[in-house]
Amino acid sequence: MPFEHVTVLLHEAIALLDIKPEGTYVDATLGGGGHTGEILKQLTTGTLYSFDQDDTAIQYNAEQYADEIAAGKLVIIHKNFRTLTSALADYGVTAVDGIVYDLGVSSVQFDDGQRGFSYKYDAELDMRMDQRQALTAKTIVNEWPFNELMRVLSRYGEDRFPKQIARKIEQHRENAPINTTFELVDIIKEAIPAPARRKGGHPAKRSFQAFRIAVNDELGALEDSLTQALELLATDGKISVITFQSLEDRLVKQMFREKSSAPELPAGLPVLPGQFEADYELLTRKPISPSTEEMAINHRAESAKLRGIRRK
Ligand SMILES: C[S@@+](CC[C@H](N)C(=O)[O-])C[C@H]1O[C@@H](n2cnc3c(N)ncnc32)[C@H](O)[C@@H]1O
């Protein structure tokens, strides 16, 4: 099956890394291998370590980049990127020159009717990026208590009706388990007041996003991984991150801002030059968005934002 994922901000994200041909790089989100391919083109004696937790992405790229893998130029790692430091240490890597993140799910995951990510296809409620993981959307929807459901819906979906949706889920699952995406869509539609149902896109969009983030602990994994990535950077090393929704973007923005701000000066003490400077600098004061041309040909690009940071 062809892996039909159109890479967003391909050149911009890699340009921010300013690749050294002999350097050590990480693609934290291999997917269809778009960013990986771009980095590989620029490496001579350097090495790229590419992570994905999804078996489909791993299999596809193992074939696509068989020559680079055989030559030792590319190492594919089938792990969650929250294990960044330990997974790289397994290969003797303790410092890197650049890391790229292109977050979320790929079009292949989203459009695979069997994976349960989309409200457009009827499937078992799954939503796992990592097929080896135990927790699925079905467990969350059927077993998590009302308060947890409400927290997930309001925090990760910024849903307008978290209480109503959580209540409706609770009522339905008392009678019979909620097994499929379409059953969940119907319950969400039932819970949302009629006038609101017609506004702001598909009524289940926000709730599906919320459950997907919870199943994959996307924000937790990102925070853990970025904390490690910042420490792994060598001097002049860079990170570029593409986000697709406001919660992720806020997290990246805050972490980068904190790292690139000078520590507070102790009152009254003499300060030596350079003593109280931040160790990192922002490469993007404002996030970079895709061009109107890119947005016109790829609707996934519409919400994308790219941020970068450099270790001094
Ligand atoms: C948007 S796609 C990346 C597309 C890729 N940059 C390209 O050009 O084809 C995101 C990929 O990252 C993977 N992914 C997301 N979160 C992950 C995590 N915490 N650990 C490992 N892989 C993750 C997903 O499985 C998916 O394949």
Side-chain angles (χ1 to χ4, degrees):
M1 181 185 83
F3 202 101
E4 290 183 7
H5 175 86
V6 183
T7 303
V8 174
L9 289 164
L10 173 62
H11 300 290
E12 294 86 342
I14 303 307
L16 270 191
L17 296 183
D18 190 17
I19 304 277
K20 297 182 174 86
E22 69 293 348
T24 302
Y25 288 88
V26 173
D27 180 352
T29 50
L30 175 59
H35 290 107
T36 279
E38 196 58 28
I39 297 174
L40 286 172
K41 270 191 223 158
Q42 299 187 31
L43 292 181
T44 52
T45 54
T47 311
L48 172 62
Y49 296 85
S50 294
F51 287 71
D52 208 296
Q53 57 181 336
D54 184 338
D55 189 47
T56 318
I58 296 292
Q59 299 303 333
Y60 173 73
N61 286 288
E63 250 180 61
Q64 175 175 218
Y65 293 117
D67 292 346
E68 289 81 357
I69 294 169
K73 197 171 171 183
L74 172 66
V75 177
I76 290 185
I77 302 179
H78 187 187
K79 285 195 173 154
N80 193 306
F81 61 50
R82 76 192 312 164
T83 65
L84 197 63
T85 305
S86 65
L88 290 172
D90 288 344
Y91 294 92
V93 176
T94 51
V96 300
D97 297 299
I99 308 180
V100 60
Y101 292 83
D102 175 15
L103 297 167
V105 286
S106 69
S107 311
V108 173
Q109 291 166 322
F110 199 74
D111 294 338
D112 179 343
Q114 303 305 307
R115 303 285 297 265
F117 284 111
S118 172
Y119 47 80
K120 291 185 197 149
Y121 307 103
D122 198 12
E124 286 284 301
L125 273 175
D126 189 324
M127 301 195 192
R128 289 169 303 167
M129 288 191 209
D130 184 341
Q131 296 93 336
R132 302 163 299 186
Q133 180 181 301
L135 181 67
T136 65
K138 198 192 243 179
T139 314
I140 294 183
V141 168
N142 287 288
E143 294 176 22
W144 283 18
F146 170 80
N147 280 339
E148 274 299 294
L149 290 180
M150 220 172 75
R151 185 188 64 83
V152 165
L153 289 162
S154 73
R155 175 139 190 259
Y156 299 153
E158 299 179 297
D159 228 306
R160 285 172 301 161
F161 304 101
K163 196 169 175 183
Q164 289 90 329
I165 298 170
R167 188 69 72 210
K168 210 37 108 187
I169 288 175
E170 211 181 26
Q171 282 167 9
H172 275 265
R173 72 189 190 186
E174 268 172 26
N175 300 328
I178 302 160
N179 290 319
T180 68
T181 48
F182 277 9
E183 283 169 28
L184 183 60
V185 168
D186 286 343
I187 292 168
I188 293 165
K189 282 187 184 161
E190 227 183 280
I192 298 177
R197 237 177 273 156
R198 286 184 288 277
K199 285 192 210 142
H202 193 284
K205 189 174 172 184
R206 285 167 179 272
S207 313
F208 267 61
Q209 173 184 301
F211 288 125
R212 193 198 86 200
I213 293 175
V215 168
N216 299 290
D217 188 20
E218 291 180 34
L219 297 173
L222 178 58
E223 187 172 1
D224 278 359
S225 189
L226 273 184
T227 305
Q228 297 167 46
L230 286 157
E231 286 307 311
L232 279 165
L233 284 186
T235 302
D236 198 33
K238 297 153 189 105
I239 302 174
S240 63
V241 188
I242 304 167
T243 61
F244 291 89
Q245 36 98 346
S246 55
L247 297 163
E248 280 171 346
D249 184 56
R250 224 176 290 153
L251 177 65
V252 177
K253 180 176 158 186
Q254 276 166 6
M255 286 183 78
F256 282 7
R257 187 181 283 169
E258 213 170 279
K259 277 287 178 184
S260 58
S261 306
E264 279 193 22
L265 298 177
L269 284 180
V271 174
L272 300 172
Q275 194 182 6
F276 282 94
E277 275 178 21
D279 294 334
Y280 298 81
E281 73 173 327
L282 291 180
L283 296 173
T284 46
R285 297 233 148 255
K286 292 225 159 103
I288 297 171
S289 298
S291 63
T292 35
E293 290 79 25
E294 181 172 1
M295 289 192 207
I297 53 172
N298 185 4
H299 77 90
R300 272 188 76 252
E302 283 162 19
S303 57
K305 285 185 177 159
L306 168 65
R307 294 183 186 270
I309 195 166
R310 167 182 171 269
R311 188 169 204 166
K312 291 187 199 163

